[in-house]
mmCIF file of all heavy atoms in Angstrom:
data_model
loop_
_atom_site.group_PDB
_atom_site.id
_atom_site.type_symbol
_atom_site.label_atom_id
_atom_site.label_comp_id
_atom_site.label_asym_id
_atom_site.label_seq_id
_atom_site.Cartn_x
_atom_site.Cartn_y
_atom_site.Cartn_z
ATOM 1 N N SER A 313 -2.519 45.382 -11.055
ATOM 2 C CA SER A 313 -2.644 46.690 -11.588
ATOM 3 C C SER A 313 -3.116 46.585 -13.185
ATOM 4 O O SER A 313 -3.816 47.481 -13.679
ATOM 5 C CB SER A 313 -1.370 47.575 -11.594
ATOM 6 O OG SER A 313 -0.289 46.948 -12.185
ATOM 7 N N ARG A 314 -2.524 45.600 -13.853
ATOM 8 C CA ARG A 314 -2.983 45.436 -15.313
ATOM 9 C C ARG A 314 -4.452 45.198 -15.336
ATOM 10 O O ARG A 314 -5.146 45.746 -16.239
ATOM 11 C CB ARG A 314 -2.105 44.327 -15.873
ATOM 12 C CG ARG A 314 -2.452 44.109 -17.413
ATOM 13 C CD ARG A 314 -1.600 42.986 -18.029
ATOM 14 N NE ARG A 314 -2.250 41.698 -17.642
ATOM 15 C CZ ARG A 314 -3.146 41.105 -18.342
ATOM 16 N NH1 ARG A 314 -3.769 41.721 -19.254
ATOM 17 N NH2 ARG A 314 -3.619 39.927 -17.985
ATOM 18 N N TYR A 315 -4.971 44.213 -14.538
ATOM 19 C CA TYR A 315 -6.357 43.956 -14.671
ATOM 20 C C TYR A 315 -7.152 45.154 -14.172
ATOM 21 O O TYR A 315 -8.227 45.412 -14.742
ATOM 22 C CB TYR A 315 -6.656 42.702 -13.699
ATOM 23 C CG TYR A 315 -6.516 41.394 -14.517
ATOM 24 C CD1 TYR A 315 -5.550 40.485 -13.960
ATOM 25 C CD2 TYR A 315 -7.295 41.044 -15.503
ATOM 26 C CE1 TYR A 315 -5.356 39.270 -14.636
ATOM 27 C CE2 TYR A 315 -7.126 39.816 -16.196
ATOM 28 C CZ TYR A 315 -6.147 39.004 -15.734
ATOM 29 O OH TYR A 315 -5.953 37.706 -16.340
ATOM 30 N N ALA A 316 -6.800 45.853 -13.129
ATOM 31 C CA ALA A 316 -7.585 47.022 -12.665
ATOM 32 C C ALA A 316 -7.724 47.990 -13.926
ATOM 33 O O ALA A 316 -8.803 48.699 -14.036
ATOM 34 C CB ALA A 316 -6.920 47.615 -11.439
ATOM 35 N N GLN A 317 -6.606 48.296 -14.598
ATOM 36 C CA GLN A 317 -6.665 49.221 -15.583
ATOM 37 C C GLN A 317 -7.578 48.655 -16.863
ATOM 38 O O GLN A 317 -8.416 49.482 -17.299
ATOM 39 C CB GLN A 317 -5.283 49.384 -16.245
ATOM 40 C CG GLN A 317 -5.212 50.527 -17.410
ATOM 41 C CD GLN A 317 -5.920 51.743 -17.049
ATOM 42 O OE1 GLN A 317 -5.426 52.425 -16.072
ATOM 43 N NE2 GLN A 317 -6.913 52.312 -17.848
ATOM 44 N N LEU A 318 -7.485 47.504 -17.179
ATOM 45 C CA LEU A 318 -8.427 46.801 -18.148
ATOM 46 C C LEU A 318 -9.849 46.967 -17.707
ATOM 47 O O LEU A 318 -10.728 47.215 -18.624
ATOM 48 C CB LEU A 318 -8.040 45.367 -18.471
ATOM 49 C CG LEU A 318 -8.890 44.620 -19.355
ATOM 50 C CD1 LEU A 318 -8.731 45.251 -20.777
ATOM 51 C CD2 LEU A 318 -8.356 43.111 -19.373
ATOM 52 N N GLN A 319 -10.160 46.630 -16.503
ATOM 53 C CA GLN A 319 -11.522 46.726 -16.066
ATOM 54 C C GLN A 319 -12.066 48.126 -16.101
ATOM 55 O O GLN A 319 -13.174 48.346 -16.490
ATOM 56 C CB GLN A 319 -11.539 46.236 -14.539
ATOM 57 C CG GLN A 319 -11.188 44.765 -14.407
ATOM 58 C CD GLN A 319 -10.629 44.389 -13.087
ATOM 59 O OE1 GLN A 319 -10.503 45.168 -12.202
ATOM 60 N NE2 GLN A 319 -10.241 43.210 -12.858
ATOM 61 N N ALA A 320 -11.241 49.121 -15.689
ATOM 62 C CA ALA A 320 -11.709 50.555 -15.734
ATOM 63 C C ALA A 320 -11.942 50.967 -17.194
ATOM 64 O O ALA A 320 -12.938 51.658 -17.425
ATOM 65 C CB ALA A 320 -10.655 51.442 -15.217
ATOM 66 N N THR A 321 -11.113 50.525 -18.239
ATOM 67 C CA THR A 321 -11.401 50.649 -19.559
ATOM 68 C C THR A 321 -12.633 50.153 -20.096
ATOM 69 O O THR A 321 -13.454 50.852 -20.715
ATOM 70 C CB THR A 321 -10.078 50.333 -20.400
ATOM 71 O OG1 THR A 321 -8.975 50.924 -19.895
ATOM 72 C CG2 THR A 321 -10.289 50.599 -21.923
ATOM 73 N N ILE A 322 -12.940 48.931 -19.803
ATOM 74 C CA ILE A 322 -13.969 48.253 -20.245
ATOM 75 C C ILE A 322 -15.248 48.877 -19.687
ATOM 76 O O ILE A 322 -16.240 49.114 -20.399
ATOM 77 C CB ILE A 322 -13.912 46.760 -19.920
ATOM 78 C CG1 ILE A 322 -12.852 45.893 -20.734
ATOM 79 C CG2 ILE A 322 -15.226 46.023 -20.025
ATOM 80 C CD1 ILE A 322 -12.631 44.603 -20.291
ATOM 81 N N ALA A 323 -15.319 49.030 -18.327
ATOM 82 C CA ALA A 323 -16.492 49.627 -17.852
ATOM 83 C C ALA A 323 -16.741 51.086 -18.306
ATOM 84 O O ALA A 323 -17.851 51.514 -18.522
ATOM 85 C CB ALA A 323 -16.321 49.606 -16.309
ATOM 86 N N GLY A 324 -15.563 51.749 -18.511
ATOM 87 C CA GLY A 324 -15.641 53.147 -19.003
ATOM 88 C C GLY A 324 -16.201 53.172 -20.405
ATOM 89 O O GLY A 324 -17.100 54.210 -20.669
ATOM 90 N N ASN A 325 -15.947 52.253 -21.175
ATOM 91 C CA ASN A 325 -16.495 52.210 -22.613
ATOM 92 C C ASN A 325 -17.912 51.634 -22.725
ATOM 93 O O ASN A 325 -18.551 51.846 -23.609
ATOM 94 C CB ASN A 325 -15.528 51.469 -23.431
ATOM 95 C CG ASN A 325 -14.142 52.097 -23.801
ATOM 96 O OD1 ASN A 325 -14.210 53.431 -23.858
ATOM 97 N ND2 ASN A 325 -13.206 51.404 -23.938
ATOM 98 N N ALA A 326 -18.354 51.061 -21.628
ATOM 99 C CA ALA A 326 -19.752 50.557 -21.485
ATOM 100 C C ALA A 326 -20.678 51.617 -21.002
ATOM 101 O O ALA A 326 -21.917 51.619 -21.461
ATOM 102 C CB ALA A 326 -19.816 49.328 -20.662
ATOM 103 N N ILE A 327 -20.264 52.480 -20.116
ATOM 104 C CA ILE A 327 -21.049 53.444 -19.447
ATOM 105 C C ILE A 327 -21.808 54.340 -20.353
ATOM 106 O O ILE A 327 -22.927 54.710 -20.205
ATOM 107 C CB ILE A 327 -20.333 54.221 -18.343
ATOM 108 C CG1 ILE A 327 -19.948 53.282 -17.186
ATOM 109 C CG2 ILE A 327 -20.937 55.345 -17.816
ATOM 110 C CD1 ILE A 327 -18.862 53.703 -16.177
ATOM 111 N N PRO A 328 -21.256 54.848 -21.539
ATOM 112 C CA PRO A 328 -21.974 55.763 -22.412
ATOM 113 C C PRO A 328 -23.208 55.146 -23.081
ATOM 114 O O PRO A 328 -24.011 55.826 -23.447
ATOM 115 C CB PRO A 328 -20.852 56.001 -23.464
ATOM 116 C CG PRO A 328 -19.561 55.866 -22.771
ATOM 117 C CD PRO A 328 -19.818 54.739 -21.772
ATOM 118 N N HIS A 329 -23.338 53.808 -22.842
ATOM 119 C CA HIS A 329 -24.500 53.121 -23.482
ATOM 120 C C HIS A 329 -25.554 52.940 -22.277
ATOM 121 O O HIS A 329 -26.551 52.146 -22.561
ATOM 122 C CB HIS A 329 -24.098 51.689 -23.938
ATOM 123 C CG HIS A 329 -23.034 51.786 -25.069
ATOM 124 N ND1 HIS A 329 -23.314 51.898 -26.388
ATOM 125 C CD2 HIS A 329 -21.693 51.805 -25.044
ATOM 126 C CE1 HIS A 329 -22.235 52.045 -27.203
ATOM 127 N NE2 HIS A 329 -21.159 51.947 -26.348
#
Side-chain angles (χ1 to χ4, degrees):
S313 58
R314 185 182 75 82
Y315 274 116
Q317 180 57 54
L318 176 62
Q319 292 152 2
T321 299
I322 289 173
N325 286 328
I327 289 169
H329 301 270

